Amino acid sequence: MSPLPRHMLRRLLSALASLLLALPAAAEPLRIAAAADLKPAMDTIVARFCATRPRCTVEPIYGSSGKFHAQIVAGAPYHLYFSADIAYPRDLAARGLAASPVRPYAVGRLVLWSARHDVRRLRLEDLADPRFRRIAIANPRHAPYGRRAEEALRAAGIWERVQPRLVYGENIAQTAQFVRSGNADVGLVALSLALTPELSRQGNHALVPERLHAPLEQGFIVTRRGAAHPLAREFAGFVQGPQAQALLRRHGFALPRPAAAR
């Protein structure tokens, strides 16, 4: 077969380029950095959000709020950031890295959870008992639930006595996994995780009195990178709507009080 004349090849390449330009560009997935305590609720919220939106691709990534904060400061490509401590998104906003106001979305609860012991009538002070050989908490350096766990143990007057027996999870999900796997006898974890079928079938929990620690007020932002994503603000609005709020309540979160009531 003889090769195409040069002028016909140019016209063919030009037509192909025009066709490619006319095709809709594939949207970048909406990437959400979310605190590990949110996974049970957020997975369902994302599914509900995408159910009525064609070509909706949302990628939630779960982990430590403090580590996500550091990653966003370093330029990580997240479009929304849901933190277990509202102080982290407030700091990002102060640095000019937010494209929306900081919005509170939930208040978390800290619980004792164990697969080995019946903790339903256990007080925090009881953790001083040597029979609890290993106690799991999230790392207070970058995990809000870990900081609240330390505050509660200090307020109960047993921090020095239990500190040598503490094992630290990188985030609250890993902390719960330590207890599930038997690497810890009891853990201070998120209520939202203790209510999941996996944990509720395997063990039991007791609420840690809220007076023992600062509130776990959780907040989110659309990041500066998220400002250009077509779904970012839409998802932000959806999370503040009645359907998502009902899902958060179902998974053990309290809803934040209106601004006027704070």
Side-chain angles (χ1 to χ4, degrees):
M1 181 182 293
S2 59
L4 286 172
R6 187 174 297 176
H7 70 281
M8 291 183 65
L9 183 60
R10 281 200 301 266
R11 273 186 284 191
L12 181 61
L13 291 174
S14 177
L16 181 59
S18 299
L19 179 61
L20 290 173
L21 287 172
L23 291 174
E28 181 183 12
L30 183 68
R31 295 188 184 90
I32 301 173
D37 70 323
L38 264 181
K39 187 178 189 323
M42 184 63 80
D43 282 350
T44 307
I45 289 170
V46 167
R48 296 280 180 88
F49 177 77
C50 286
T52 57
R53 291 165 176 82
R55 293 193 293 273
C56 171
T57 306
V58 180
E59 295 179 356
I61 300 97
Y62 301 103
S64 158
S65 296
K67 288 195 169 182
F68 281 138
H69 170 272
Q71 290 170 9
I72 293 169
V73 169
Y78 300 121
H79 302 107
L80 292 109
Y81 169 49
F82 286 80
S83 170
D85 186 340
I86 199 168
Y88 282 129
R90 282 175 176 161
D91 179 74
L92 292 178
R95 294 170 181 256
L97 296 175
S100 73
V102 178
R103 302 289 189 194
Y105 64 88
V107 179
R109 287 299 307 271
L110 188 67
V111 301
L112 283 170
W113 185 81
S114 179
R116 289 185 175 181
H117 302 277
D118 187 349
V119 300
R120 286 171 291 187
R121 295 180 182 175
L122 205 67
R123 299 174 307 148
L124 206 58
E125 293 87 340
D126 296 327
L127 295 183
D129 190 321
R131 71 190 171 107
F132 300 109
R133 293 172 301 152
R134 290 184 296 273
I135 302 162
I137 70 171
N139 193 324
R141 289 182 296 172
H142 51 246
Y145 277 90
R147 282 198 295 276
R148 300 301 180 260
E150 180 178 343
E151 290 171 8
L153 292 167
R154 288 186 183 279
I158 60 170
W159 173 254
E160 287 76 15
R161 296 169 68 185
V162 302
Q163 193 174 12
R165 291 182 274 138
L166 295 178
V167 292
Y168 298 99
E170 282 299 294
N171 54 60
I172 200 64
Q174 187 181 70
T175 304
Q177 182 56 33
F178 284 164
V179 189
R180 286 190 71 191
S181 65
N183 289 316
D185 299 288
V186 65
L188 280 83
V189 306
L191 175 61
S192 61
L193 300 182
L195 293 177
T196 61
E198 295 81 8
L199 268 65
S200 61
R201 283 195 299 261
Q202 190 175 348
N204 52 74
H205 72 271
L207 287 168
V208 173
E210 290 181 289
R211 59 181 169 77
L212 295 179
H213 61 80
L216 276 155
E217 185 180 14
Q218 310 194 180
F220 81 94
I221 55 166
V222 176
T223 67
R224 193 167 62 188
R225 184 184 180 98
H229 197 289
L231 287 180
R233 294 187 188 278
E234 194 174 349
F235 188 85
F238 185 81
V239 168
Q240 297 172 86
Q243 188 174 174
Q245 289 182 340
L247 288 168
L248 287 165
R249 283 196 301 269
R250 188 183 307 167
H251 285 88
F253 293 99
L255 298 182
R257 292 174 296 163
R262 288 180 208 155

